[in-house]
Amino acid sequence: MASGDIAQITEALAKTHVGEVELSYKGRGLKLDNVESVKEIVQEIEQRQGLQSLRLEGNTLGVEAAQAIAKSLVAKRELEQCHWSDMFTGRLRSEIPPALKSLGNALMTSGARLTHLDLSDNAFGPDGVKGIESLLKSSACYTLRELRLNNCGMGIGGGMVLASALTECHKQSSAAGSPLRLKVFIAGRNRLENDGSLEEVHMPQNGINHPGITALATALKHNPNLQVVNLNDNTFTKKGSIAMAEAIRHLQCLKVINFGDCLVRSEGAIAIAGALRVGLPSLRELNLSFGEICEAAAEGCEALREMMEGMNMEDLLGSLSDDEGDPEDDDEEEEEEEEEEEEANEEENGHEEDAKENGVNGTKDVIEEKEEAHCGPELKSFLISPSAEKLISLGAKRIQVIEQQVDISDASKVSEVFLKISSVYKDEPEVKQAIFESTDALLRKAFSNSHSQSYSFITSLIVNLGLLKSEDKKIKKVTVLPGHLLALEHAAAQEFFPADQAGVLEVFVSRNCKVLESCCNARDALKTTLMKRTTA
């Protein structure tokens, strides 16, 4: 074999690596001020063939040292991961932007395609964002999957620069045929919460599930000038939809809402439609198509249309024909997500007790150990087996006990307790007073919580009363009793009961008169009161 062939084979073998090639100086606390201080690091970088990951976090890097390291990175085309958090401790803020620019320019020159960039815990402020602006716009970041900028003190100005850079990156990468598809983006503790200036948000087909949608909703509501929200083809489900409904109540300039193909579902659509009752005067288009908005088929769609018609906004609602399908055909990924959540909840909260008879028309309810542990013995006894006598026996402390011991953050539990209290209704002054005082206190506290929690309660109640079929097959409707509707009617007449929630409830009561036929007098009284609250 010729010596030239041996040399080629040797070179090829030198470039062959198994697993990720990484250099790590993590957490060494090195004070790297000049060329001399990084001499060994530079040599190791230059000699490491096929370098894919460089960890410099937990050291402190000066401008001259950063420039020296940058020169060694120019030839590192294979570099994919830059773990550079907590890298400027003790440095003047003015030192950080030029250091970042040097490193960023080297990455762009090298032709590297990054997948991970972590610059968290670097207090570089708005000017520091400008130091990475060119890098974020460049082809080096078209392939980014994780971008971490937590606790960098960016402020509003830095946040705007960052948003513009990422927008440009997405635009240019899309034009190049490989659009930016971030999977992880963390930018917490950056003082971005005020003076939001966004006017359009387009994030379709990003695979965002309800935790991400909820976080996004929290951020969006701080942008009062927002006009277009396009989140098409993500996964809201009930939790995300309710959070987004809470957000759009604050966005009076909205013109276009595109939540199509987002698994909004019936309960989520109710919350969104209810939020529109608050008034979005500029709204021109609402897309909730392919959202599995169904109540065992079309009733949820019809209820949504009716609510929109009641607000003179029916022309804004796109077609819902594709939503009138079988609720059994849920997305497999969504089912897996729910199962994972259930398993996590079981590990955190422990197993549930076996269902116990509640003594009312033979219906069964599950009383969780956690709930029982938080309830006093008298309330616990009542919830297990409700009776008027037990409710009255709670005495003057009844309201205080309910307010203190019922977790209003759990909407389904609030609905359950409300129905149990109202189930013992009798047309006797003492019993009626005890029930109305108790249910009013419970709902007053529930409605004093966030608007999204209020909608969660209303949708849970609608499901429990059999007025809407829930996506959660474990939730079963109760046998509706006059006391349920009379207690609800009494509460709806009070000032604490939100008018928009009354409107949502009125639509479902009106559309389901036959379901409530056995309690026709109580049903009609409830309808009348709800209509008064809605038109007041």
Side-chain angles (χ1 to χ4, degrees):
M1 183 178 290
S3 59
D5 294 335
I6 295 175
Q8 289 179 353
I9 294 172
T10 302
E11 182 179 359
L13 289 172
K15 294 181 179 180
T16 302
H17 305 280
V18 178
E20 181 180 89
V21 181
E22 178 180 88
L23 268 179
S24 177
Y25 304 93
K26 179 179 179 180
R28 295 191 185 181
L30 302 175
K31 192 171 188 297
L32 308 172
D33 297 322
N34 49 41
V35 174
E36 185 62 29
S37 65
V38 295
K39 185 177 180 180
E40 292 184 8
I41 294 176
V42 168
Q43 289 177 344
E44 289 184 335
I45 292 175
E46 291 175 344
Q47 294 170 4
R48 188 62 58 94
Q49 297 295 315
L51 181 64
Q52 295 173 293
S53 176
L54 179 61
R55 309 194 75 104
L56 295 174
E57 64 264 55
N59 300 289
T60 177
L61 195 64
V63 176
E64 189 178 331
Q67 291 171 343
I69 291 175
K71 289 181 181 179
S72 69
L73 293 176
V74 170
K76 299 301 173 182
R77 184 181 181 87
E78 295 88 355
L79 190 63
E80 297 178 349
Q81 300 187 25
C82 297
H83 300 278
W84 295 347
S85 63
D86 190 19
M87 199 169 66
F88 297 107
T89 301
R91 299 292 171 181
L92 295 175
R93 182 168 288 188
S94 60
E95 293 182 82
I96 302 176
L100 289 172
K101 284 183 179 179
S102 297
L103 294 167
N105 288 339
L107 294 172
M108 290 186 285
T109 302
S110 71
R113 294 294 184 267
L114 300 181
T115 60
H116 294 66
L117 177 59
D118 187 357
L119 289 166
S120 299
D121 300 317
N122 289 309
F124 49 52
D127 290 338
V129 184
K130 295 177 183 178
I132 58 172
E133 182 179 9
S134 296
L135 173 63
L136 291 177
K137 291 180 179 179
S138 75
S139 59
C141 289
Y142 288 1
T143 49
L144 266 184
R145 294 297 177 263
E146 294 191 13
L147 176 59
R148 299 174 184 267
L149 296 168
N150 198 54
N151 192 29
C152 289
M154 288 188 288
I156 299 165
M160 294 174 66
V161 173
L162 174 63
S164 176
L166 291 177
T167 300
E168 182 65 19
C169 181
H170 186 272
K171 178 181 177 181
Q172 295 298 333
S173 61
S174 297
S178 180
L180 175 67
R181 294 188 181 278
L182 276 177
K183 293 184 177 180
V184 177
F185 174 52
I186 299 176
R189 299 181 64 191
N190 274 294
R191 302 182 183 275
L192 304 175
E193 58 275 322
N194 296 318
D195 296 339
S197 59
L198 290 175
E199 293 185 2
E200 296 191 14
V201 172
H202 297 269
M203 299 179 69
Q205 296 181 326
N206 273 283
I208 309 173
N209 292 326
H210 73 78
I213 293 296
T214 300
L216 184 60
T218 301
L220 290 181
K221 71 180 180 182
H222 295 293
N223 290 269
N225 296 320
L226 197 62
Q227 297 179 25
V228 178
V229 179
N230 176 9
L231 297 175
N232 190 284
D233 197 8
N234 289 288
T235 306
F236 282 33
T237 65
K238 175 184 173 182
K239 292 180 181 178
S241 300
I242 291 175
M244 197 57 71
E246 166 72 6
I248 63 178
R249 293 177 62 249
H250 300 271
L251 304 175
Q252 295 294 297
C253 295
L254 272 179
K255 295 180 180 179
V256 177
I257 298 174
N258 186 348
F259 295 159
D261 202 11
C262 285
L263 290 183
V264 169
R265 305 266 175 86
S266 298
E267 292 161 282
I270 294 167
I272 291 171
L276 298 182
R277 286 180 176 272
V278 177
L280 294 179
S282 302
L283 190 64
R284 298 175 183 173
E285 180 183 333
L286 172 64
N287 182 0
L288 298 178
S289 61
F290 297 95
E292 294 192 5
I293 303 171
C294 53
E295 208 289 72
E299 187 172 299
C301 295
E302 291 303 317
L304 178 59
R305 289 192 186 102
E306 186 169 319
M307 278 192 280
M308 295 295 286
E309 289 171 1
M311 295 181 282
N312 296 318
M313 301 172 77
E314 64 272 20
D315 293 338
L316 308 182
L317 185 63
S319 172
L320 296 174
S321 60
D322 296 292
D323 291 304
E324 297 171 1
D326 187 349
E328 299 290 331
D329 297 330
D330 290 341
D331 190 289
E332 290 182 2
E333 292 182 3
E334 172 61 15
E335 291 179 353
E336 291 175 0
E337 179 186 76
E338 291 176 352
E339 289 174 0
E340 290 173 359
E341 288 182 358
E342 290 170 4
E343 290 173 1
N345 289 335
E346 286 174 0
E347 290 177 2
E348 180 180 350
N349 298 328
H351 67 279
E352 293 183 340
E353 281 192 13
D354 292 335
K356 301 178 180 179
E357 295 287 347
N358 72 357
V360 180
N361 292 338
T363 61
K364 293 184 177 180
D365 291 286
V366 174
I367 307 297
E368 295 184 1
E369 291 178 352
K370 181 178 178 181
E371 179 183 313
E372 291 187 0
H374 288 177
C375 293
E378 298 92 345
L379 183 58
K380 173 182 174 182
S381 174
F382 172 81
L383 292 175
I384 292 174
S385 180
S387 70
E389 292 73 19
K390 289 180 180 179
L391 182 64
I392 292 173
S393 70
L394 291 173
K397 62 180 180 180
R398 181 190 315 113
I399 294 177
Q400 182 181 4
V401 168
I402 292 172
E403 289 181 336
Q404 290 179 347
Q405 298 180 8
V406 177
D407 181 9
I408 62 167
S409 66
D410 188 337
S412 63
K413 289 301 174 187
V414 174
S415 176
E416 178 183 311
V417 173
F418 173 84
L419 292 172
K420 287 188 175 183
I421 294 173
S422 56
S423 71
V424 301
Y425 178 88
K426 295 180 182 178
D427 194 14
E428 299 173 5
E430 185 179 17
V431 177
K432 289 167 61 176
Q433 181 179 355
I435 290 174
F436 292 159
E437 286 180 351
S438 301
T439 53
D440 282 0
L442 180 65
L443 298 196
R444 183 183 294 107
K445 189 173 181 182
F447 286 133
S448 69
N449 208 346
S450 70
H451 208 74
S452 60
Q453 284 290 338
S454 298
Y455 269 112
S456 292
F457 164 70
I458 286 294
T459 53
S460 293
L461 187 63
I462 290 172
V463 168
N464 289 143
L465 291 174
L467 306 180
L468 176 70
K469 185 175 180 179
S470 173
E471 289 85 17
D472 187 345
K473 298 177 179 62
K474 295 185 295 183
I475 299 178
K476 300 185 182 301
K477 65 181 182 179
V478 301
T479 299
V480 181
L481 303 174
H484 294 147
L485 305 185
L486 291 173
L488 196 52
E489 187 271 332
H490 187 274
Q494 311 307 313
E495 291 185 1
F496 65 76
F497 203 104
D500 55 339
Q501 312 283 21
V504 171
L505 191 56
E506 189 272 328
V507 167
F508 279 85
V509 171
S510 297
R511 291 195 61 83
N512 291 274
C513 286
K514 290 184 179 180
V515 176
L516 306 176
E517 190 64 41
S518 61
C519 312
C520 56
N521 292 334
R523 176 201 64 196
D524 294 343
L526 175 59
K527 282 179 57 180
T528 300
T529 298
L530 291 173
M531 291 179 66
K532 287 180 180 178
R533 287 305 312 278
T534 304
T535 58

Coordinates of all heavy atoms in Angstrom, one line a residue, residues 464-504:
N464 N -71.5 18.5 34.4 CA -72.1 17.8 35.4 C -73.6 17.8 35.3 O -74.3 16.8 35.7 CB -71.7 18.4 36.8 CG -70.3 18.1 37.1 OD1 -69.6 18.9 37.7 ND2 -69.8 16.9 36.8
L465 N -74.2 18.8 34.8 CA -75.7 18.9 34.7 C -76.2 18.2 33.5 O -77.4 18.1 33.2 CB -76.1 20.4 34.7 CG -76.0 21.1 36.0 CD1 -76.3 22.6 35.8 CD2 -76.8 20.5 37.1
G466 N -75.3 17.7 32.6 CA -75.7 17.0 31.4 C -76.0 17.9 30.3 O -76.6 17.4 29.3
L467 N -75.6 19.1 30.3 CA -75.9 20.1 29.2 C -74.8 20.1 28.2 O -74.9 20.7 27.1 CB -76.0 21.5 29.8 CG -77.0 21.7 30.9 CD1 -77.1 23.1 31.4 CD2 -78.4 21.2 30.5
L468 N -73.7 19.4 28.5 CA -72.6 19.3 27.5 C -71.8 18.0 27.8 O -71.6 17.7 29.0 CB -71.6 20.5 27.7 CG -70.4 20.5 26.8 CD1 -70.7 20.7 25.4 CD2 -69.4 21.6 27.3
K469 N -71.4 17.3 26.7 CA -70.7 16.1 26.9 C -69.2 16.5 27.0 O -68.7 17.1 26.1 CB -70.9 15.1 25.8 CG -70.2 13.8 25.9 CD -70.6 12.8 24.8 CE -69.9 11.5 25.0 NZ -70.3 10.5 24.0
S470 N -68.5 16.0 28.1 CA -67.1 16.3 28.3 C -66.3 15.4 27.5 O -66.6 14.3 27.2 CB -66.8 16.2 29.7 OG -65.4 16.4 29.9
E471 N -65.0 16.0 27.1 CA -64.0 15.1 26.4 C -63.5 14.1 27.4 O -62.9 13.1 27.1 CB -62.9 16.0 25.9 CG -63.3 16.8 24.7 CD -63.9 18.1 25.0 OE1 -63.8 18.5 26.2 OE2 -64.6 18.7 24.1
D472 N -63.6 14.4 28.7 CA -63.1 13.5 29.8 C -64.2 12.5 30.1 O -65.2 12.9 30.7 CB -62.7 14.3 31.0 CG -62.0 13.5 32.1 OD1 -62.1 12.3 32.0 OD2 -61.4 14.1 33.0
K473 N -64.0 11.3 29.7 CA -65.0 10.3 29.8 C -65.3 9.9 31.2 O -66.2 9.2 31.6 CB -64.7 9.1 28.9 CG -64.6 9.4 27.5 CD -64.2 8.2 26.7 CE -64.1 8.5 25.2 NZ -63.1 9.5 24.9
K474 N -64.3 10.3 32.1 CA -64.5 9.9 33.5 C -65.5 10.8 34.3 O -66.0 10.5 35.3 CB -63.1 9.9 34.2 CG -62.1 8.9 33.7 CD -60.9 9.0 34.5 CE -60.2 10.3 34.4 NZ -58.9 10.3 35.1
I475 N -65.8 12.0 33.7 CA -66.7 12.9 34.3 C -68.1 12.5 33.9 O -68.5 12.4 32.7 CB -66.5 14.4 33.8 CG1 -65.1 14.8 34.3 CG2 -67.5 15.3 34.4 CD1 -64.7 16.2 33.8
K476 N -68.9 12.2 34.9 CA -70.3 11.8 34.6 C -71.3 12.8 35.1 O -71.1 13.4 36.2 CB -70.5 10.4 35.3 CG -69.6 9.3 34.8 CD -70.0 7.9 35.3 CE -69.0 6.9 34.9 NZ -68.9 6.8 33.4
K477 N -72.4 12.9 34.4 CA -73.4 13.8 34.8 C -74.2 13.3 36.0 O -74.3 12.1 36.2 CB -74.4 14.1 33.7 CG -75.2 12.9 33.2 CD -76.1 13.3 32.1 CE -77.0 12.2 31.6 NZ -77.9 12.5 30.5
V478 N -74.7 14.2 36.8 CA -75.6 13.9 37.9 C -77.0 13.8 37.5 O -77.4 14.3 36.5 CB -75.4 14.9 39.1 CG1 -73.9 14.9 39.5 CG2 -75.9 16.2 38.7
T479 N -77.8 13.3 38.4 CA -79.3 13.4 38.2 C -79.7 14.8 38.6 O -79.5 15.1 39.8 CB -80.0 12.3 39.0 OG1 -79.6 11.0 38.6 CG2 -81.5 12.4 38.8
V480 N -80.2 15.6 37.7 CA -80.5 17.0 38.0 C -81.7 17.1 38.9 O -82.8 16.5 38.7 CB -80.7 17.8 36.8 CG1 -81.0 19.2 37.1 CG2 -79.5 17.7 35.8
L481 N -81.5 17.8 40.0 CA -82.6 18.0 41.0 C -83.0 19.5 41.0 O -82.2 20.4 40.6 CB -82.1 17.6 42.4 CG -81.6 16.2 42.6 CD1 -81.1 16.0 44.0 CD2 -82.8 15.2 42.3
P482 N -84.2 19.8 41.4 CA -84.7 21.2 41.4 C -83.7 22.1 42.3 O -83.5 23.2 41.9 CB -86.1 21.1 42.1 CG -86.6 19.8 41.7 CD -85.4 18.9 41.7
G483 N -83.2 21.5 43.3 CA -82.3 22.3 44.2 C -81.1 22.8 43.5 O -80.6 23.9 43.7
H484 N -80.5 22.0 42.6 CA -79.4 22.4 41.8 C -79.7 23.7 41.0 O -78.9 24.6 41.0 CB -79.0 21.3 40.8 CG -78.5 20.0 41.4 ND1 -78.7 18.8 40.8 CD2 -77.8 19.8 42.5 CE1 -78.2 17.9 41.5 NE2 -77.6 18.4 42.6
L485 N -80.8 23.7 40.4 CA -81.2 24.9 39.5 C -81.6 26.1 40.4 O -81.3 27.2 40.0 CB -82.3 24.5 38.5 CG -82.0 23.2 37.7 CD1 -83.1 23.0 36.7 CD2 -80.6 23.4 36.9
L486 N -82.3 25.8 41.5 CA -82.7 26.9 42.3 C -81.5 27.6 43.0 O -81.5 28.8 43.2 CB -83.7 26.4 43.4 CG -85.1 26.0 42.8 CD1 -85.9 25.3 43.9 CD2 -85.8 27.1 42.1
A487 N -80.6 26.8 43.4 CA -79.4 27.4 44.1 C -78.6 28.2 43.0 O -78.0 29.3 43.3 CB -78.5 26.3 44.7
L488 N -78.5 27.7 41.8 CA -77.9 28.4 40.7 C -78.6 29.7 40.4 O -78.0 30.7 40.1 CB -77.8 27.5 39.5 CG -76.8 27.8 38.4 CD1 -75.4 28.1 39.0 CD2 -76.7 26.7 37.4
E489 N -79.9 29.6 40.4 CA -80.7 30.8 40.1 C -80.5 31.9 41.1 O -80.4 33.1 40.8 CB -82.2 30.4 40.0 CG -83.1 31.5 39.5 CD -83.7 32.4 40.7 OE1 -83.7 31.8 41.8 OE2 -84.0 33.5 40.4
H490 N -80.5 31.5 42.4 CA -80.2 32.4 43.5 C -78.9 33.1 43.3 O -78.7 34.3 43.5 CB -80.3 31.7 44.8 CG -80.3 32.7 46.0 ND1 -79.1 33.1 46.5 CD2 -81.3 33.3 46.7 CE1 -79.4 33.9 47.5 NE2 -80.7 34.1 47.6
A491 N -77.8 32.3 43.0 CA -76.5 32.9 42.8 C -76.4 33.8 41.6 O -75.8 34.8 41.6 CB -75.5 31.7 42.7
A492 N -77.1 33.4 40.5 CA -77.0 34.2 39.3 C -77.7 35.6 39.5 O -77.3 36.5 38.7 CB -77.7 33.4 38.2
A493 N -78.5 35.7 40.4 CA -79.2 37.0 40.7 C -78.3 38.0 41.5 O -78.6 39.1 41.6 CB -80.5 36.8 41.4
Q494 N -77.2 37.4 42.0 CA -76.3 38.3 42.8 C -75.2 39.0 41.9 O -74.9 38.6 40.8 CB -75.6 37.4 43.8 CG -76.5 36.4 44.6 CD -77.6 37.2 45.3 OE1 -77.4 38.2 45.9 NE2 -78.8 36.6 45.1
E495 N -74.7 40.1 42.5 CA -73.8 40.9 41.7 C -72.5 40.2 41.4 O -71.8 40.5 40.5 CB -73.5 42.2 42.5 CG -74.7 43.2 42.6 CD -74.3 44.5 43.2 OE1 -73.2 44.7 43.6 OE2 -75.2 45.3 43.3
F496 N -72.1 39.3 42.3 CA -70.8 38.6 42.1 C -70.8 37.7 40.9 O -69.8 37.2 40.4 CB -70.4 37.8 43.3 CG -71.3 36.7 43.7 CD1 -71.2 35.5 43.0 CD2 -72.2 36.8 44.7 CE1 -72.0 34.4 43.4 CE2 -73.0 35.7 45.1 CZ -72.9 34.5 44.4
F497 N -72.0 37.3 40.4 CA -72.1 36.4 39.3 C -71.8 37.1 38.0 O -72.6 38.0 37.6 CB -73.5 35.7 39.2 CG -73.5 34.4 38.5 CD1 -73.6 33.2 39.3 CD2 -73.5 34.3 37.1 CE1 -73.6 32.0 38.6 CE2 -73.5 33.1 36.5 CZ -73.6 31.9 37.2
P498 N -70.7 36.8 37.2 CA -70.4 37.6 36.0 C -71.4 37.5 34.9 O -72.0 36.4 34.7 CB -69.1 36.9 35.6 CG -68.6 36.2 36.8 CD -69.8 35.7 37.5
A499 N -71.7 38.6 34.3 CA -72.8 38.6 33.3 C -72.4 37.7 32.1 O -73.2 37.1 31.5 CB -73.0 40.0 32.8
D500 N -71.1 37.7 31.7 CA -70.7 36.9 30.6 C -70.9 35.4 30.9 O -71.2 34.6 30.0 CB -69.3 37.2 30.1 CG -68.3 37.1 31.2 OD1 -68.6 37.1 32.4 OD2 -67.1 36.9 30.9
Q501 N -70.6 35.0 32.1 CA -70.8 33.6 32.5 C -72.3 33.3 32.5 O -72.7 32.1 32.1 CB -70.2 33.3 33.9 CG -68.8 33.9 34.1 CD -67.7 33.0 33.4 OE1 -68.0 32.3 32.5 NE2 -66.5 33.1 33.9
A502 N -73.1 34.2 32.9 CA -74.5 34.0 32.9 C -75.0 33.8 31.4 O -75.9 33.0 31.2 CB -75.2 35.2 33.5
G503 N -74.4 34.5 30.5 CA -74.8 34.4 29.1 C -74.4 33.0 28.6 O -75.2 32.4 27.8
V504 N -73.3 32.5 28.9 CA -72.9 31.2 28.5 C -73.8 30.1 29.0 O -74.3 29.2 28.3 CB -71.4 30.9 28.9 CG1 -71.1 29.4 28.7 CG2 -70.4 31.8 28.2

